[in-house]
Amino acid sequence: MWKKRATYAIAATILLCGALIWQLALLGKNIITAVSAAPVTDWGLGFGEAGTQPRGNCDADYLKQFDAYFVGNTEEKVIYLTFDAGYENGHTAAILDVLKKQEVPAAFFVVSNYVKDNPELVKRMSDEGHIVGNHTMTHPDMSKITDQTAFAEELDGLAALVEQATGKPMQKFYRPPAGRFSEQNLQFAKALGYKTIFWSLAYADWDVNKQPTHQAAFDKLYPRMHNGCILLLHSTSQTNAEILDELLTKWKNEGYTFRSLDALC
């Protein structure tokens, strides 16, 4: 009898161990799933047919809960024109001239060295009705900043410089450098009163030593325009400065209108 009981006990122990191993396997699977579902930290787009809205690696509804945007109203032929301005390369005045001629509002996302070196251009942007946006003090990888105070210092410091240059409080629009972000960053920005602005159309225009030809720029930008587009260009680009007037005219002829980022809110 005792041998039979021992056999039952051993069998029960084996079954219990097997159940535990199975549970641990499930737990491991859940952990792997949780890691793979972690918030993305690199903004990216996928394009479909010409003229259609691209897919972001976060959808618009997810971003809106953090007052963040990558596209506007998809039912209207509206474009939101934005420029990233890391430094001055001699083209911003010409860009501003075109915007004034075309009566098109834009947003310029600037960093601290740009404001310090070009306060007159920053003031002109503001005086002519454009948004001067926050691209941070030092252009770091913001996704690596997990301390709220450190995050705020990057934005608050830049805001103080812009107010000094323009004589006006900075409008609270923020673009993460290189599109690097975390969900925590989005929460931090919202807590500071900022709208986080990504983009739904951009192209390789930033390398001043490898500027695209006019035709290459048109080939990239023109077919990919779509309703509610938030367009990212770099003000350092000679090509952008040279084609901007024609580009804006083409889009106007297609029935597009241009609005300020204020209209997103």
Side-chain angles (χ1 to χ4, degrees), residues 48-257:
E49 295 181 6
T52 61
Q53 179 189 329
R55 301 174 306 279
N57 53 4
C58 292
D59 67 33
D61 289 337
Y62 167 81
L63 291 174
K64 281 182 181 179
Q65 66 183 311
F66 305 106
D67 291 339
Y69 303 84
F70 86 96
V71 70
N73 189 335
T74 59
E75 302 300 318
E76 297 181 313
K77 298 192 75 169
V78 173
I79 301 169
Y80 302 88
L81 180 59
T82 72
F83 294 88
D84 282 3
Y87 62 96
E88 178 52 35
N89 196 37
H91 303 303
T92 304
I95 289 170
L96 288 168
D97 288 344
V98 171
L99 296 176
K100 187 173 184 179
K101 171 190 171 184
Q102 292 273 3
E103 298 183 329
V104 167
F108 290 84
F109 288 92
V110 298
V111 294
S112 61
N113 63 280
Y114 189 97
V115 182
K116 292 174 182 177
D117 294 342
N118 308 280
E120 71 290 344
L121 281 174
V122 175
K123 188 173 190 305
R124 181 182 171 187
M125 293 169 189
S126 177
D127 288 348
E128 294 184 1
H130 305 297
I131 288 172
V132 181
N134 202 319
H135 207 33
T136 73
M137 281 288 288
T138 62
H139 203 269
D141 180 347
M142 296 295 278
S143 69
K144 294 181 178 178
I145 298 179
T146 57
D147 176 74
Q148 190 165 9
T149 299
F151 184 93
E153 286 174 353
E154 280 288 337
L155 273 62
D156 291 346
L158 194 281
L161 291 176
V162 169
E163 183 169 356
Q164 183 179 355
T166 64
K168 306 171 188 174
M170 187 177 202
Q171 292 173 273
K172 292 197 170 185
F173 293 90
Y174 156 65
R175 173 166 285 157
R180 297 284 297 172
F181 73 103
S182 68
E183 184 175 294
Q184 186 182 52
N185 289 165
L186 299 178
Q187 292 169 338
F188 287 165
K190 182 178 180 180
L192 292 169
Y194 279 88
K195 313 291 183 185
T196 300
I197 307 297
F198 294 102
W199 58 90
S200 60
L201 178 58
Y203 80 119
D205 63 344
W206 55 84
D207 189 338
V208 297
N209 297 314
K210 295 181 180 179
Q211 283 293 285
T213 65
H214 290 192
Q215 190 58 52
F218 281 121
D219 289 346
K220 286 287 186 180
L221 292 172
Y222 192 65
R224 288 183 169 179
M225 181 48 63
H226 51 273
N227 290 3
C229 176
I230 297 179
L231 174 61
L232 164 60
L233 301 175
H234 285 81
S235 61
T236 52
S237 167
Q238 180 179 346
T239 297
N240 287 344
E242 291 172 349
I243 70 170
L244 187 61
D245 193 25
E246 184 179 356
L247 192 63
L248 299 183
T249 298
K250 281 178 175 288
W251 281 327
K252 283 183 175 181
N253 289 340
E254 289 290 319
Y256 285 99
T257 58

